Amino acid sequence: MTILALVAAMVGFLSLALSMDKHHQEMRRRKSSSAERRAFRSAGWGGLAISLVLAMAAWGAAVGSILWFGILSFAAALVLLLLSRIASAPRGR
Amino acid sequence: MSAGFRQSQSSLHTWSGLIVGWVLFTIFLMGTVSYWREDINRWMRPELAGAERPEQVVEGAVAFLQDTAPDAKNWYISVPGAHEAGSSLFWQPRPVEGQPPRRGRRDTQALVGADGQPLHARETRGGEFFYRFHFDLHYVPVLWARWFVGFCAMAMLVAIVSGIITHKKIFKDFFTFRREKGQRTWLDGHNATAVLALPFHLMITYTGLVTLMALYMPWAAVANYSQTDKLFEALFPSVAEIERAGKPAPLVDLVPLMRDASARWGGRAIGSIRVSEPGDAAARVTITASQTDSISVRTPSIAYSGATGRMIWQSDGAQGAVQAAGVMIGIHAGRFASDLLRWLYFLSGIGGTVMVASGLVLWVVKRREKLPDPMRPHFGFRLVERLNIGFIAGLPLAMTGYLWANRLLPVEMASRADWEIHAMFIVWGAALLAGFLRPAKKAWVEQFALTGVALIGLPLHDLLGGRGLIGAGMAGDMRMVGMNMTLLLLGVAFLAVARKVQRYRPKAKRVRKVPAISPAPAILEAAE
């Protein structure tokens, strides 16, 4: 359950990154439409919310919410490192 | 927001961060390793290793105390939990008329091992030293230290808030980390470690101040309570002190009382036991719950008659304010945290440590390009650059030196525990000095590499001594295995940092060449 919470948080942050022009360009090599941006943004926040629900389900409301903050930081750091790898990788596949 | 306001916040951020930066780095790093305080305790007392059997340990402790201090006024017994194997005991001798009460002497303390037998372990402050140092410092009076640490924590809070205001693209740059771009990379790294763990940084700084609030802001208490005793009685109600009856009565078996208390708390673990007037008809046993099972550090107690085993008092729920403070301190110290959450705490703490370190390095990197004569930088620049080495690279080296002193100093040495600490400061002093004497880049590489080698050496040393990783693994002592693996991992990380610094060649940017070399992305890599 905790692993799922981490996965949900990572998917959430990746979606949030995809809703930003700069990172969308890096990952998908094209501009995003405004519908896509909206979809990524909702999916992103949704992912973070699901992560909170999972953490609370596994650890209870009090400890779960504290754990969730830790999971968020960890997930965001992983996504950041992943994106910086993608951004610094040589262009073209 | 006007540009002038943001500019002023930027200056505030730079200087509030720089002035206390080295102290904050120290507090953050020491506090971060303190999340593994009990495990470090255990590692530093290898004699105590073994699987935990709390009831057996308590029985052994009682037998020992009945032999050693049958007429003491109080016995205090710590009950081993998931993190410690044995129990530390101390007792308060019966006060003698006309003599001041004695406290915390060495001859009124003892250790009981996991098998319940009294144990002669090496003298050490263990992980407690790191924990105390992160708010009490060392070699200075505790009250001064706490005021100083509080001042620095306040400056930290100022730096965090002004940093958020200064960093205008906080959400736009949320996922941005540009590698190998010199100053840009440092700034991204500083922002990333700050922003990604921002809830942690705000929480830890604020609740850190809360832990010592009675010291910093005593006025409400002073205005309402004439005596400290009264205040404590109001805040932390406890069972009334007892008078000795003078009639001997054997002490009941403590194990059923522990089970009873645990059952009344819905299965919580026991943290500590106090026996007042043991062996007397009026004897009393007070059992306090462990801090591992609730977020708040204010844990309930139950008192029993020591002669009959009947329950005579139970603490009721703490008041709102006390509970709120207890929860804040609990969230800060993470004693309730399971291993998983402790790792997240630890990683967030590393993030905070790297944030402070990268801020300090950024101050230097930013100014290096603007030096009028890069070969002869002004005094302030040199001071900051060199202090950075002695703290950021020197402190981890010194802490490793402390662990080595624990293994190398003779077990029977006089004031051994003190010398472990002196050893840490000797190494630290040497590292600071080397930071000033050696060329900057060499000093960074040497100290990081030495730390890495020394960290890896610790588990190897134990392995050769026959009770390291493999011995602990065979004995099923997973806490010791975890400590050894973590030391190895940290050692590898420090070697990787050293290599990164060693290989770093600044690109000749613009016209002006960068003279000395900064360990640019190195520390950031270590945080990965």
Side-chain angles (χ1 to χ4, degrees):
Chain A
M1 198 92 102
T2 316
I3 297 283
L4 285 180
L6 177 67
V7 172
M10 284 188 67
V11 171
F13 278 124
L14 263 176
S15 298
L16 283 177
L18 278 166
S19 75
M20 295 154 88
D21 280 337
K22 189 172 82 177
H23 300 300
H24 192 278
Q25 185 74 38
E26 282 165 5
M27 278 186 273
R28 301 184 73 192
R29 307 264 184 256
R30 64 175 177 80
K31 280 220 162 3
S32 52
S33 67
S34 68
E36 277 177 325
R37 278 200 295 278
R38 259 199 311 281
F40 279 131
R41 200 170 309 135
S42 345
W45 288 111
L48 301 190
I50 290 171
S51 164
L52 174 62
V53 171
L54 288 171
M56 282 174 144
W59 294 86
V63 175
S65 53
I66 298 172
L67 188 84
W68 181 63
F69 277 107
I71 289 176
L72 279 194
S73 295
F74 188 60
L78 291 179
V79 170
L80 172 110
L81 292 171
L82 179 71
L83 287 179
S84 94
R85 280 273 171 232
I86 293 175
S88 65
R91 297 271 141 181
R93 304 178 188 205
Chain B
M1 256 177 278
S2 73
F5 176 66
R6 187 158 276 150
Q7 189 53 50
S8 74
Q9 292 296 302
S10 173
S11 308
L12 180 64
H13 180 73
T14 302
W15 296 103
S16 63
L18 179 74
I19 290 172
V20 297
W22 298 290
V23 185
L24 290 179
F25 178 81
T26 310
I27 297 172
F28 248 97
L29 186 56
M30 293 273 188
T32 300
V33 298
S34 297
Y35 284 122
W36 302 115
R37 171 162 65 133
E38 296 96 339
D39 297 87
I40 298 173
N41 281 343
R42 184 142 165 200
W43 186 89
M44 291 182 78
R45 279 198 199 98
E47 297 87 350
L48 254 177
E52 50 286 314
R53 287 180 286 273
E55 296 183 347
Q56 195 179 340
V57 170
V58 168
E59 281 174 345
V62 169
F64 172 83
L65 285 164
Q66 259 159 353
D67 274 353
T68 316
D71 57 348
K73 184 156 176 55
N74 284 299
W75 295 344
Y76 297 88
I77 304 167
S78 78
V79 180
H83 295 274
E84 28 338 48
S87 160
S88 52
L89 324 171
F90 70 100
W91 56 95
Q92 189 187 9
R94 182 151 308 288
V96 182
E97 281 296 321
Q99 275 182 25
R102 297 162 21 122
R103 273 206 172 164
R105 296 282 184 78
R106 258 173 212 139
D107 55 353
T108 59
Q109 297 178 7
L111 284 170
V112 170
D115 52 357
Q117 296 301 311
L119 192 87
H120 186 62
R122 63 191 64 201
E123 211 191 293
T124 179
R125 292 272 310 277
E128 301 300 318
F129 169 68
F130 292 141
Y131 170 69
R132 300 301 293 200
F133 189 88
H134 110 276
F135 55 92
D136 279 353
L137 307 180
H138 198 68
Y139 299 129
V140 287
V142 166
L143 276 186
W144 293 18
R146 289 185 180 185
W147 273 106
F148 181 59
V149 167
F151 170 78
C152 294
M154 205 61 223
M156 174 88 187
L157 210 50
V158 169
I160 291 177
V161 173
S162 58
I164 295 170
I165 297 170
T166 310
H167 183 27
K168 51 190 167 202
K169 294 192 288 180
I170 200 161
F171 291 111
K172 221 171 146 219
D173 281 347
F174 196 85
F175 297 110
T176 303
F177 179 61
R178 282 153 289 194
R179 289 158 191 268
E180 327 248 322
K181 290 247 168 34
Q183 185 181 327
R184 194 66 247 178
T185 302
W186 278 108
L187 186 59
D188 283 351
H190 185 59
N191 290 343
T193 46
V195 174
L196 298 184
L198 189 59
F200 174 82
H201 302 325
L202 278 170
M203 175 280 283
I204 210 74
T205 312
Y206 181 78
T207 55
L209 285 163
V210 168
T211 58
L212 294 176
M213 65 183 171
L215 170 69
Y216 302 139
M217 296 199 289
W219 310 293
V222 172
N224 288 297
Y225 294 92
S226 52
Q227 285 163 319
T228 345
D229 302 4
K230 292 237 169 65
L231 171 67
F232 271 89
E233 190 47 45
L235 286 181
F236 314 117
S238 59
V239 58
E241 291 296 317
I242 41 165
E243 286 295 323
R244 199 175 176 84
K247 224 166 35 177
L251 184 66
V252 291
D253 187 4
L254 296 192
V255 170
L257 302 189
M258 290 166 69
R259 291 187 187 147
D260 179 71
S262 178
R264 283 172 198 272
W265 292 321
R268 288 183 66 155
I270 309 293
S272 63
I273 301 175
R274 169 186 170 188
V275 182
S276 305
E277 306 295 356
D280 189 77
R284 194 165 50 214
V285 179
T286 310
I287 296 183
T288 303
S290 160
Q291 293 183 338
T292 49
D293 292 337
S294 73
I295 297 177
S296 171
V297 292
R298 304 282 168 235
T299 48
S301 321
I302 297 180
Y304 298 89
S305 156
T308 64
R310 197 167 45 83
M311 187 183 97
I312 47 179
W313 178 85
Q314 186 166 15
S315 65
D316 43 10
Q319 306 153 33
V322 174
Q323 202 56 33
V327 166
M328 283 195 205
I329 298 170
I331 291 180
H332 182 97
R335 279 170 217 151
F336 68 93
S338 59
D339 279 342
L340 173 78
L341 185 49
R342 256 175 224 244
W343 272 110
L344 291 173
Y345 263 115
F346 182 72
L347 288 176
S348 297
I350 298 271
T353 311
V354 172
M355 168 183 75
V356 176
S358 59
L360 285 167
V361 173
L362 192 55
W363 190 94
V364 172
V365 173
K366 257 187 177 168
R367 276 154 192 80
R368 177 172 290 129
E369 289 191 27
K370 294 180 196 140
L371 287 175
D373 178 359
M375 297 319 286
R376 280 189 302 134
H378 54 85
F379 173 73
F381 179 88
R382 264 211 324 258
L383 183 71
V384 173
E385 183 188 34
R386 299 316 176 109
L387 279 177
N388 279 354
I389 300 173
F391 275 81
I392 298 169
L395 181 58
L397 180 61
M399 290 163 81
T400 314
Y402 174 69
L403 298 182
W404 266 108
N406 177 263
R407 287 299 191 257
L408 294 186
L409 292 180
V411 173
E412 296 303 329
M413 181 180 176
S415 21
R416 185 179 192 282
D418 293 337
W419 274 101
E420 285 182 6
I421 295 169
H422 297 327
M424 187 191 100
F425 285 99
I426 292 169
V427 175
W428 198 359
L432 276 161
L433 201 64
F436 278 93
L437 298 180
R438 302 280 295 152
K441 180 179 170 180
K442 284 213 173 76
W444 281 111
V445 176
E446 286 162 359
Q447 297 194 15
F448 279 138
L450 198 56
T451 308
V453 171
L455 278 169
I456 293 173
L458 284 167
L460 295 183
H461 169 272
D462 281 10
L463 207 54
L464 293 178
R467 81 181 149 203
L469 199 48
I470 295 170
M474 303 259 276
D477 189 352
M478 294 324 280
R479 312 296 315 178
M480 280 295 251
V481 172
M483 261 304 281
N484 278 300
M485 294 300 288
T486 307
L487 289 171
L488 276 175
L489 213 66
L490 285 173
V492 172
F494 270 95
L495 285 182
V497 171
R499 198 170 130 102
K500 198 96 188 171
V501 181
Q502 169 75 27
R503 289 190 162 183
Y504 181 69
R505 300 271 178 280
K507 299 190 186 78
K509 276 213 318 202
R510 299 191 207 136
V511 203
R512 185 176 286 139
K513 271 186 70 178
V514 184
I517 288 138
S518 71
I523 298 175
L524 304 171
E525 290 284 328
E528 281 179 18

